[in-house]
C-alpha cells in the first residue's frame, strides 16, 4: 500500500468517526472493561452457558481485554499461550497459518466462527480464521478432545470457537495506527454502541508487511459487523457479517521450486439469528449462516471455490433443579470446485443431536450427548460424549471425558480428476475416540487457578495419499493416528494490576500408514508458554511473553529448529482518548525455520522486529 493510500485510509476513517460521533459524550471506560461474559462463564462446552469450574470438558478461553491488553495483532500469537494447541507463526502477513489441537492436523479440528463451522468442503482446515485480526474478536474458547457429539465432523482434536459480543451500552469508537519493521503498516477502525434496544459493533482494518529475509509481500483487509435487536423480553434477533481478503506474494521464488508464487484468498461469512425464551425453562435459537471462500495460487495455476449454507436449530430445556436437556438439528448444503474438477459438486448433509446435564448434588456434574450425522459423501456416523466432574474439596475438581469423533472426506479427494491426485469415490469417514482425565483448582479468592489434564486419542481410517506409479496417485483410507499427551496451565494474579500465566504441553504422536511410522508435522513434542502483564501506574502498562517449542519435524519427517520466541510490549495512556504503544517481536533475534521440506524449501521466521503505534478513542 503506497503512502498516499495509507493517508487516504487514515483520513477517511478519521472523518467518518468524527462526523458520526461528534455529539457523543466522552466516557471513562477503558479498553480493559469491554462488554464480555461474567468470569468463569463459557459457552462452548455444552453450546450453552455453563460454569467453567464445574464443567467436565477441558476448556481454555481468552477475552477481548486479554487480546488487546497484550497487543496481539494475529490470533495465532494469542492461541499459543493456551495448553493443547499449536499455531504456526507465519513469516509474513498473508502467509498460510495452521492450527493443531492436541496434535491433530488442522483438518481434524473444527473452527467455529459466530456459530458457523468454517471447515468447508474444499478448504477443510478452516482457513477463514487466518484472515481475522485480534481486534475483530471478543472471545476465543478452546474446547479440547473429541467433540463430534456436539459439533459434528472434523471435531477430532477439539473445537476452536471465535465470536463477537453485542455492542456496548455507550458509544465508543477507536482508530489504531501502527508502523514498524519490514515496512509494516496497520490501520484499524472500530465503533460500537446502542440506541434503545438496538446494539451495533463494526470494524475494518488493513495490514501490510514486507520481509527482507524472504522477499515476501503480504497484505490483508478485513471488516466485521454485528447487529442485535431486543424485540421484547422473549425475542432477540441479530446478525453478523465478516469479510477478509489476503494477498501474499513471493517474488523471489525462494520458498518453493516452482518460482514466483502469488496467492489470493477472499472470504465472506454472514449469519442471522433469532433467540426465543418463553420462560426460565425453555430457550430456543435459530441460526442461519452462509460462507464463501475463493482461493487462487498462480504458480500452480490453482483455483478453489467453496460455498456453504448452514441452518442450525437448538433448544435448551430446564427440566428441574437437577436436570437440563438440549436437542437440535443441523442442515447443511455444501458446494465446491477447484482446478482438479470439471464441474462443481453439491452435497446435502444433516445432523440431529441431544445431550443431557445432570447435577445430582452440589459437587457433581454429569453429562451425556449423542449425535447422528449423515453426509452425502462419506455416509452416516453416530458419535457420543460422556463427561463428569466432582468437587473433591473446596474449588478442587476431578474431571473426566470419553468421546468419539469423525471426519467426512473432502469433496476434492472424492471427485478430483487430476492426473497427479485422482479422487476416490469409495472413501469413507475417518473415525476416532479419545479420553482425558484432569484436576482443576480455582482459588476461593479468584486470584489463581491451575489445570492438569492427561489425554489419549486414536483415529482410524485416516485418508492418505498413495502413489499409483510415476507422478500419479490417489487417496485411500489406511492410516491410524495415536496421540498421548499432558496439558498444564497456571494463571496467577500477582497483584491487583499484575497477572501472569504459564502453560505447558507434551504430545507424543504416531502415524501408522502400514508401511512406516511417522510423526505429525509442525507439532512439537514439548511446548511452553509464559507471560506477564502489569499495569505499573494508572497510565503505563508493560508485559511480555515467551514461547518455547522443542523437538519438531516438518513435512517428509525433516527435522526443524527448536526455538524460543520472546516478545515485549508497552502501552502509555496519555489521556482518556489517546494512547501510544510499542512492541518488540522475536526479542532474542533467533533464527529458525517455521517449516521446512524438500518441496517448499525453508520458510524462516521474522527476525528481530520493532513496532509502534497510537490508538485514539472517540
Amino acid at each position: 500500500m503506497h503512502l498516499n493510500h495509507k493517508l487516504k485510509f487514515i483520513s477517511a476513517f478519521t472523518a467518518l468517526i468524527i462526523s458520526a460521533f461528534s455529539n457523543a459524550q466522552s466516557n471513562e471506560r477503558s479498553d480493559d472493561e469491554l462488554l464480555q461474559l461474567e468470569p468463569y462463564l463459557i459457552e462452548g462446552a455444552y453450546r450453552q452457558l455453563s460454569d467453567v469450574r464445574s464443567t467436565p470438558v477441558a476448556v481454555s478461553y481468552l477475552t477481548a481485554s486479554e487480546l488487546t491488553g497484550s497487543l496481539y495483532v494475529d490470533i495465532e500469537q494469542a492461541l499459543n499461550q493456551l495448553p493443547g494447541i499449536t499455531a504456526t507463526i507465519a513469516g509474513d502477513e498473508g502467509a498460510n497459518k495452521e492450527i493443531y489441537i492436541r496434535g491433530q492436523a488442522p483438518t481434524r479440528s473444527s473452527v467455529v466462527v459466530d456459530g458457523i463451522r468454517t471447515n468447508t468442503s474444499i478448504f477443510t482446515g478452516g482457513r477463514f480464521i487466518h484472515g481475522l485480526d485480534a481486534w475483530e474478536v471478543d472471545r476465543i474458547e478452546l474446547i479440547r478432545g473429541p467433540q463430534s457429539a456436539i459439533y459434528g465432523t472434523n471435531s477430532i482434536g477439539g473445537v476452536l470457537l471465535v465470536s463477537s459480543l453485542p455492542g456496548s451500552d455507550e458509544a465508543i469508537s477507536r482508530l489504531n495506527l501502527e508502523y514498524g519493521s519490514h515496512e509494516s503498516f496497520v490501520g484499524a477502525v472500530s465503533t460500537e454502541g446502542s440506541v434503545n434496544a438496538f446494539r451495533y459493533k463494526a470494524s475494518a482494518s488493513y495490514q501490510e508487511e514486507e520481509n527482507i529475509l524472504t522477499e515476501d509481500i503480504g497484505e490483508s483487509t478485513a471488516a466485521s459487523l454485528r447487529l442485535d435487536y431486543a424485540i421484547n423480553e422473549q425475542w432477540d434477533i441479530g446478525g453478523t457479517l465478516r469479510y477478509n481478503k489476503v494477498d501474499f506474494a513471493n517474488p523471489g521464488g525462494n520458498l518453493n521450486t516452482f518460482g514466483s508464487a502469488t496467492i489470493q484468498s477472499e472470504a465472506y461469512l454472514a449469519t442471522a439469528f433469532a433467540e426465543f425464551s418463553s420462560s426460565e425453562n425453555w430457550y430456543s435459537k435459530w441460526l442461519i449462516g452462509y460462507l464463501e471462500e475463493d482461493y487462487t495460487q498462480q504458480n500452480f495455476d490453482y483455483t478453489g471455490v467453496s460455498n456453504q449454507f448452514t441452518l442450525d436449530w437448538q433448544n435448551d430445556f430446564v427440566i428441574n433443579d437437577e436436570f437440563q436437556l438440549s436437542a437440535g438439528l443441523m442442515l447443511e448444503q455444501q458446494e465446491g470446485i477447484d482446478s482438479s474438477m470439471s464441474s462443481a459438486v453439491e452435497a446435502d448433509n444433516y445432523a440431529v443431536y441431544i445431550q443431557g446435564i445432570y447435577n445430582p448434588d452440589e459437587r457433581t456434574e454429569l453429562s451425556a450427548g449423542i449425535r447422528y450425522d449423515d453426509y452425502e459423501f462419506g455416509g452416516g456416523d453416530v458419535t457420543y460424549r460422556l463427561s463428569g466432574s466432582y468437587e473433591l474439596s473446596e474449588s478442587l475438581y476431578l474431571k473426566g471425558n470419553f468421546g468419539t469423533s469423525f471426519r467426512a472426506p473432502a469433496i476434492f479427494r472424492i471427485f478430483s480428476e487430476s492426473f497427479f491426485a485422482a479422487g476416490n469415490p469409495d472413501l469413507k469417514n475417518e473415525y476416532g475416540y479419545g479420553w482425558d482425565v484432569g484436576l482443576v483448582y480455582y482459588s476461593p479468592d479468584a486470584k489463581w487457578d491451575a489445570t492438569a489434564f492427561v489425554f489419549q486419542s486414536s483415529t482410524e481410517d485416516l485418508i492418505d495419499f498413495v502413489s499409483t506409479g510415476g507422478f500419479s496417485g490417489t487417496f485411500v483410507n489406511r492410516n491410524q493416528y495415536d496421540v498421548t499427551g499432558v496439558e498444564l496451565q497456571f494463571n496467577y494474579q500477582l497483584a491487583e494490576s499484575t497477572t501472569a500465566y504459564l502453560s505447558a504441553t507434551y504430545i507424543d504422536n504416531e502415524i501408522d500408514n502400514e508401511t512406516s511410522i511417522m510423526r505429525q508435522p509442525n507439532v512439537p513434542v514439548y511446548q511452553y508458554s509464559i507471560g506477564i502483564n502489569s499495569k505499573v501506574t494508572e497510565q503505563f502498562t508493560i508485559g511480555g511473553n515467551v514461547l518455547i517449542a522443542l523437538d519438531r519435524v516438518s513435512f517428509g519427517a525433516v527435522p526443524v529448529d527448536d526455538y524460543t520466541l520472546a516478545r515485549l510490549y508497552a502501552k502509555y495512556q496519555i489521556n482518556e482518548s489517546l494512547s501510544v504503544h510499542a512492541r518488540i517481536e522475536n526479542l532474542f533475534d533467533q533464527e529458525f525455520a517455521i517449516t521446512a521440506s524438500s518441496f517448499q524449501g525453508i520458510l524462516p521466521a521474522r527476525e528481530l522486529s520493532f513496532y509502534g503505534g497510537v490508538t485514539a478513542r472517540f
Side-chain angles (χ1 to χ4, degrees):
M1 192 183 213
H2 299 297
L3 178 60
N4 61 330
H5 291 156
K6 296 177 183 177
L7 294 176
K8 288 180 181 179
F9 178 94
I10 298 169
S11 60
F13 279 114
T14 302
L16 174 64
I17 292 174
I18 295 175
S19 62
F21 297 98
S22 59
N23 296 325
Q25 294 181 345
S26 65
N27 61 81
E28 299 181 357
R29 193 176 68 159
S30 69
D31 288 343
D32 296 335
E33 296 170 323
L34 296 168
L35 180 64
Q36 53 190 283
L37 294 179
E38 293 296 323
Y40 302 123
L41 284 185
I42 57 172
E43 293 184 282
Y46 296 134
R47 293 185 53 171
Q48 59 176 284
L49 289 178
S50 61
D51 191 320
V52 69
R53 291 168 292 187
S54 58
T55 300
V57 182
V59 182
S60 300
Y61 61 91
L62 295 169
T63 64
S65 60
E66 290 172 306
L67 294 171
T68 58
S70 298
L71 297 185
Y72 288 123
V73 175
D74 297 322
I75 293 177
E76 288 78 11
Q77 275 188 314
L79 292 176
N80 279 317
Q81 75 177 59
L82 302 178
I85 186 169
T86 298
T88 57
I89 305 298
D92 295 287
E93 182 63 33
N96 192 37
K97 307 164 189 176
E98 296 181 319
I99 294 171
Y100 302 81
I101 301 177
R102 283 192 170 175
Q104 298 287 348
T107 56
R108 297 185 181 94
S109 293
S110 289
V111 179
V112 178
V113 180
D114 295 334
I116 300 299
R117 184 175 56 85
T118 61
N119 306 72
T120 60
S121 58
I122 296 293
F123 309 110
T124 58
R127 286 184 49 83
F128 186 85
I129 190 177
H130 304 312
L132 297 181
D133 300 318
W135 45 77
E136 290 184 88
V137 175
D138 286 321
R139 190 171 183 84
I140 296 175
E141 291 187 20
L142 174 62
I143 317 297
R144 305 190 296 276
Q147 305 297 330
S148 288
I150 310 298
Y151 290 96
T153 183
N154 297 88
S155 308
I156 295 175
V159 179
L160 185 67
L161 299 167
V162 178
S163 60
S164 59
L165 295 175
S168 60
D169 291 330
E170 300 174 273
I172 301 174
S173 296
R174 301 173 184 84
L175 177 66
N176 180 279
L177 300 174
E178 183 184 87
Y179 286 87
S181 300
H182 322 301
E183 300 185 23
S184 70
F185 168 75
V186 174
V189 62
S190 65
T191 183
E192 63 177 297
S194 64
V195 180
N196 298 322
F198 176 73
R199 292 178 181 269
Y200 62 90
K201 178 180 289 186
S203 69
S205 65
Y206 173 84
Q207 296 184 62
E208 72 173 13
E209 184 165 26
E210 297 180 1
N211 191 319
I212 299 175
L213 184 61
T214 60
E215 299 180 351
D216 298 333
I217 302 170
E219 297 179 331
S220 68
T221 305
S224 67
L225 173 68
R226 172 161 179 157
L227 303 175
D228 294 82
Y229 182 69
I231 299 175
N232 51 44
E233 293 183 357
Q234 293 182 320
W235 282 95
D236 292 280
I237 60 174
T240 64
L241 178 64
R242 294 184 186 269
Y243 167 80
N244 61 66
K245 181 180 180 181
V246 171
D247 289 279
F248 172 68
N250 174 36
N254 54 349
L255 296 189
N256 60 66
T257 59
F258 292 93
S260 179
T262 300
I263 296 172
Q264 291 184 330
S265 176
E266 194 168 17
Y268 311 81
L269 174 62
T271 72
F273 61 85
E275 299 174 341
F276 174 73
S277 178
S278 65
S279 65
E280 295 182 357
N281 298 323
W282 178 33
Y283 167 82
S284 185
K285 181 175 182 177
W286 293 261
L287 175 65
I288 298 175
Y290 176 76
L291 172 62
E292 179 179 329
E293 293 183 292
D294 302 290
Y295 180 88
T296 301
Q297 185 167 343
Q298 292 182 0
N299 66 325
F300 283 112
D301 192 23
Y302 173 84
T303 299
V305 180
S306 177
N307 302 301
Q308 180 173 290
F309 173 81
T310 305
L311 170 64
D312 190 278
W313 180 33
Q314 179 170 328
N315 295 271
D316 302 326
F317 305 93
V318 178
I319 308 302
N320 52 44
D321 292 339
E322 298 177 348
F323 187 62
Q324 301 176 58
L325 185 68
S326 296
L329 61 86
M330 182 277 295
L331 303 176
E332 182 180 79
Q333 184 178 72
Q334 296 180 325
E335 181 181 20
I337 184 173
D338 71 5
S339 300
S340 70
M341 302 156 60
S342 58
S343 60
V345 175
E346 293 185 0
D348 294 320
N349 315 311
Y350 72 88
V352 292
Y353 58 90
I354 186 171
Q355 70 170 341
I357 305 170
Y358 179 53
N359 297 91
D361 54 56
E362 294 181 354
R363 291 181 174 270
T364 308
E365 182 165 305
L366 305 173
S367 71
I370 188 168
R371 175 172 170 141
Y372 174 74
D373 286 83
D374 186 272
Y375 273 71
E376 186 167 337
F377 307 111
D381 265 312
V382 175
T383 54
Y384 61 90
R385 188 185 72 181
L386 304 173
S387 304
S389 71
Y390 181 74
E391 189 174 10
L392 298 172
S393 61
E394 184 181 7
S395 301
L396 177 62
Y397 297 86
L398 173 65
K399 303 185 177 186
N401 302 273
F402 180 87
T404 60
S405 55
F406 82 100
R407 181 175 79 109
I411 286 179
F412 160 78
R413 293 182 171 181
I414 297 176
F415 294 97
S416 171
E417 301 166 20
S418 169
F419 170 81
F420 301 101
N424 179 0
D426 296 323
L427 288 178
K428 57 184 179 180
N429 294 340
E430 301 176 350
Y431 197 83
Y433 64 88
W435 59 265
D436 60 41
V437 176
L439 284 173
V440 182
Y441 180 75
Y442 297 90
S443 67
D445 59 4
K447 288 188 176 181
W448 66 278
D449 61 80
T451 301
F453 271 92
V454 178
F455 66 89
Q456 189 275 332
S457 68
S458 182
T459 311
E460 300 175 351
D461 291 325
L462 264 68
I463 298 172
D464 192 18
F465 177 82
V466 296
S467 173
T468 56
F471 293 100
S472 61
T474 188
F475 301 95
V476 297
N477 294 93
R478 68 168 184 170
N479 291 4
Q480 178 169 322
Y481 183 42
D482 297 310
V483 185
T484 302
V486 179
E487 300 162 341
L488 304 174
Q489 184 176 23
F490 180 71
N491 300 298
Y492 186 54
Q493 185 174 341
L494 298 171
E496 183 177 354
S497 57
T498 302
T499 59
Y501 74 85
L502 170 66
S503 69
T505 304
Y506 165 80
I507 290 181
D508 180 28
N509 67 81
E510 183 178 278
I511 303 175
D512 184 353
N513 66 4
E514 299 180 356
T515 60
S516 62
I517 303 296
M518 301 181 298
R519 282 174 51 191
Q520 173 65 51
N522 296 329
V523 176
V525 175
Y526 306 94
Q527 179 171 300
Y528 309 95
S529 182
I530 186 171
I532 188 170
N533 179 285
S534 179
K535 195 170 184 179
V536 181
T537 68
E538 286 297 318
Q539 296 174 295
F540 184 60
T541 300
I542 190 171
N545 316 84
V546 178
L547 175 65
I548 302 172
L550 306 175
D551 197 352
R552 300 186 302 142
V553 297
S554 189
F555 298 99
V558 177
V560 285
D561 308 316
D562 297 339
Y563 64 83
T564 299
L565 197 59
R567 62 189 297 266
L568 289 176
Y569 57 86
K571 176 182 175 181
Y572 184 76
Q573 194 74 38
I574 298 174
N575 53 43
E576 293 177 9
S577 302
L578 189 65
S579 65
V580 293
H581 68 266
R583 58 189 177 93
I584 305 174
E585 305 290 348
N586 198 356
L587 179 65
F588 303 143
D589 198 18
Q590 186 166 20
E591 297 182 6
F592 65 94
I594 298 171
T595 61
S597 71
S598 57
F599 179 70
Q600 286 189 315
I602 297 176
L603 177 61
R606 297 190 190 104
E607 62 267 30
L608 174 68
S609 306
F610 301 89
Y611 306 88
V614 59
T615 300
R617 290 164 46 91
F618 303 88

